Amino acid sequence: MKLFQQLLVAPAALGLLAPMAVGAAELNLADVNQYAGSSQDQVTSVTQFSDVKPTDWAYQALSNLVERYGCVAGYPNGTFKGGQAMTRYEAAALLNACLDRVTEVTDELKKLMAEFEKELAVLRGRVDGLEAKVGELEANQFSTTTKLKGIATFVLGANSFGGSNRDISDFAAAQEGATSFNYDVRLNFDTSFTGKDLLRTTLRAGNFADSAFGNGGLNQLEVAFQESCGTGVDCGDVVAVNRLFYQFPIGSNFTATIGGRVRQDDMLAMWPSVYPADTVLDIFTYAGAPGAYNLNLGAGAGLWWKSGNFSISANYVAANGDGGTPSSEPCVSGSLNSCGGIGTEASQETGTVQVAYGGSNWGLAATYNYSNGVGVASGTPLSIAPQAAAPDGSTFGFGSINSVGISGYWQPSNSGWFPSISTGWGLNSYDIDDDAFNFDGPTSQSWYVGLQWADAFIKGNTFGMAVGQPTFITGCGDVCSDNGVSRTPHDGNYAWEWWYKFQVTDNISVTPAIYYLSNPLGNVGYRANEISGDSGAALTNFGGIVKTTFKF
């Protein structure tokens, strides 16, 4: 019982002692002294009472009075007699003993307060100062509902090109062989109105469009954190809205998302990889399946259900969902820039369903994605942009693609010799008939393995590497032949990257990295070699960057 509670009980107990059937003149003080003298010394443990058991309803209360306050005495025979009615004399003796203990505690507190008077005054002053600062912050805060998080990245890097076809390697060096210094900056405004919802607004700018890592013929060189501000448009030193969506719970298990600029992975309950998505090569940012996880960005909506470790996600995104021309024919001639809309013939759309399980240190996901007018996100030139025949005989878009992906990860509970492991595989089937490449329903595949060691060599630093094959054509479908002779696509390409992140401060990191692509042109380079009579890979690429990241 707390001290103030004891003081509240005391008047009530005194009330019990007030004269009722007998007057004050009838109180025999000799009887009180006789009771106090007949009782044994104060006990120190409730176990000293032979008739008190742990199962008694008041056992805990009695234990507190005995062991914490020491103000309960028993009878000379070692009993407490808890079931016996209490006389007024016994109540007076018990109350007297407890009040004595209360007085002792109060005196001890007064001594402690006097001894630490200076320290208490300092603490009181600090609390007053903190209250003043908090009041000032509240008066000048940006918003009561919005938090700002920013990230700025500098990239200094260059490429070198080799291979058996000198014309192609010289051309690649002329296009993307310069040393370039670029930046990317993102400002995330996260707003919550209920504490459970999220309105995200992201402003982004960068200047990678014309860099050594831009959107040239080798899109595999795009750095992992680069992202266009719109369909086929780089930010180009212009601040633009990169994300704008609202996410909110429905009941206890469902979460809905809707937005004018939302990306496919924003609407997934789990991302099936722990390999960093902002390291070097773009090809390692899609969980091994750039077709299933093509990260389509535009107008969209999604819903996920999550119960325990299991989740099911479904979403739809139209990259040109803001367009108003539904027919694809005007888009072919290029006369209009308003082609698109939601669910139209001209929509650059994706529909995704993911089933996932995420444990404490591992996760696994299976995903299906249907794309119409949207190619796979990364791969050889032949795999990312196969052309579909238009009604007038010209070509446009990417046709439709059915993609599946299986991805997962495992990470150790503690940092050490064992790295985290992320891996994935993807399969894509194209609904395309392309006579230029002898296509009729081709297929493509991709895979990767990413490793990351936390606290590598120095606590806080990280080492990582990844290897895999970007999306490459594995079959030509029904017309995979040349004059009746079966042909192999020869589109395979291996990619590696190695990096080490120095965590300079909590908010600044520096990451040097190198990478290698064994055959980035795939089948296109192979066909060029056939014409020129060369052998081997027509083009190889080795490069490196130094990335500096600031978080604020």
Side-chain angles (χ1 to χ4, degrees):
M1 183 182 295
K2 295 182 180 179
L3 180 60
F4 79 92
Q5 291 175 318
Q6 295 173 343
L7 296 177
L8 290 175
V9 171
L14 289 174
L16 292 174
L17 299 179
M20 293 182 185
V22 295
E26 298 177 41
L27 179 61
N28 189 345
L29 295 178
D31 290 340
V32 175
N33 292 332
Q34 180 180 2
Y35 166 77
S38 65
S39 63
Q40 66 178 32
D41 294 336
Q42 297 291 340
V43 297
T44 59
S45 174
V46 71
T47 58
Q48 293 178 242
F49 295 125
S50 60
D51 60 341
V52 175
K53 300 177 181 179
T55 55
D56 293 336
W57 67 270
Y59 180 85
Q60 189 59 51
L62 183 60
S63 176
N64 288 340
L65 286 173
V66 172
E67 299 175 6
R68 183 178 300 179
Y69 302 107
C71 61
V72 175
Y75 288 90
N77 62 356
T79 61
F80 180 69
K81 298 184 180 180
Q84 177 178 297
M86 192 177 189
T87 67
R88 295 167 66 85
Y89 295 134
E90 291 169 334
L94 176 61
L95 182 60
N96 181 67
C98 289
L99 288 176
D100 287 342
R101 289 296 298 142
V102 169
T103 303
E104 291 175 11
V105 172
T106 303
D107 292 340
E108 291 175 2
L109 289 175
K110 289 180 179 179
K111 291 179 181 178
L112 288 172
M113 291 176 65
E115 183 177 349
F116 294 99
E117 182 177 2
K118 293 181 179 180
E119 288 80 0
L120 290 172
V122 171
L123 290 174
R124 189 179 300 110
R126 290 180 178 178
V127 170
D128 292 341
L130 287 174
E131 289 179 348
K133 289 181 179 179
V134 170
E136 183 179 355
L137 287 173
E138 290 179 346
N140 297 281
Q141 63 184 337
F142 165 71
S143 171
T144 59
T145 59
T146 303
K147 294 181 179 180
L148 168 62
K149 296 180 181 178
I151 179 170
T153 307
F154 294 159
V155 176
L156 175 65
N159 296 296
S160 65
F161 300 95
S164 61
N165 193 312
R166 185 64 180 267
D167 291 337
I168 292 178
S169 61
D170 288 346
F171 178 80
Q175 294 294 312
E176 300 179 349
T179 299
S180 60
F181 190 112
N182 305 97
Y183 78 89
D184 176 84
V185 63
R186 282 169 287 171
L187 300 176
N188 292 318
F189 297 88
D190 288 345
T191 302
S192 180
F193 304 101
T194 65
K196 296 181 179 180
D197 60 343
L198 171 66
L199 173 65
R200 171 160 293 177
T201 305
T202 300
L203 303 180
R204 192 166 188 175
N207 62 352
F208 282 92
D210 300 319
S211 74
F213 312 98
N215 294 315
L218 302 177
N219 82 310
Q220 298 170 67
L221 293 182
E222 293 180 7
V223 288
F225 41 85
Q226 178 188 353
E227 185 175 296
S228 64
C229 291
T231 304
V233 179
D234 190 87
C235 295
D237 293 312
V238 176
V239 178
V241 176
N242 180 256
R243 294 284 202 286
L244 182 59
F245 64 85
Y246 183 59
Q247 200 166 74
F248 56 94
I250 301 177
S252 59
N253 297 105
F254 288 91
T255 299
T257 306
I258 186 169
R261 285 195 63 78
V262 61
R263 205 168 73 174
Q264 176 200 43
D265 58 324
D266 294 325
M267 299 180 285
L268 298 176
M270 187 193 85
W271 182 250
S273 173
V274 292
Y275 189 74
D278 61 347
T279 52
V280 188
L281 293 178
D282 180 65
I283 61 177
F284 296 124
T285 64
Y286 305 99
Y293 296 111
N294 58 16
L295 304 187
N296 195 24
L297 173 64
L303 182 70
W304 78 59
W305 168 87
K306 189 172 184 180
S307 179
N309 295 325
F310 287 97
S311 65
I312 300 175
S313 307
N315 61 69
Y316 171 89
V317 179
N320 56 355
D322 58 335
T325 303
S327 175
S328 61
E329 292 189 22
C331 300
V332 176
S333 63
S335 60
L336 294 176
N337 295 319
S338 60
C339 298
I342 305 296
T344 70
E345 184 184 53
S347 294
Q348 296 174 353
E349 58 190 354
T350 56
T352 308
V353 176
Q354 175 187 269
V355 179
Y357 178 91
S360 58
N361 65 336
W362 67 277
L364 184 66
T367 303
Y368 167 76
N369 182 68
Y370 172 79
S371 301
N372 181 55
V374 180
V376 297
S378 181
T380 63
L382 195 61
S383 68
I384 66 172
Q387 299 292 293
D392 61 358
S394 61
T395 59
F396 79 97
F398 302 96
S400 62
I401 305 175
N402 290 278
S403 304
V404 295
I406 298 176
S407 306
Y409 66 87
W410 173 87
Q411 53 186 346
S413 301
N414 300 302
S415 59
W417 290 103
F418 292 100
S420 66
I421 303 173
S422 300
T423 186
W425 168 82
L427 175 66
N428 312 290
S429 176
Y430 305 77
D431 184 16
I432 292 171
D433 183 0
D434 193 324
D435 294 335
F437 290 95
N438 279 340
F439 275 178
D440 185 9
T443 58
S444 66
Q445 295 187 41
S446 61
W447 65 270
Y448 95 115
V449 176
L451 308 178
Q452 180 182 210
W453 286 265
D455 296 330
F457 307 114
I458 301 175
K459 186 174 179 61
N461 293 353
T462 308
F463 171 69
M465 63 86 61
V467 61
Q469 283 187 277
T471 308
F472 63 103
I473 296 294
T474 55
C476 301
D478 296 335
V479 188
C480 192
S481 64
D482 187 0
N483 295 324
V485 180
S486 178
R487 293 173 56 94
T488 302
H490 294 289
D491 199 42
N493 169 38
Y494 288 88
W496 292 266
E497 69 176 26
W498 300 265
W499 51 272
Y500 187 82
K501 184 175 75 172
F502 295 91
Q503 194 66 47
V504 182
T505 69
D506 290 341
N507 300 95
I508 302 175
S509 65
V510 177
T511 307
I514 58 175
Y515 55 87
Y516 177 74
L517 299 169
S518 69
N519 183 26
L521 293 182
N523 180 272
V524 174
Y526 176 79
R527 288 168 66 94
N529 272 0
E530 279 188 319
I531 297 173
S532 63
D534 295 325
S535 61
L539 182 70
T540 61
N541 173 222
F542 178 81
I545 66 170
V546 176
K547 180 183 70 170
T548 304
T549 303
F550 306 88
K551 295 182 178 181
F552 53 94

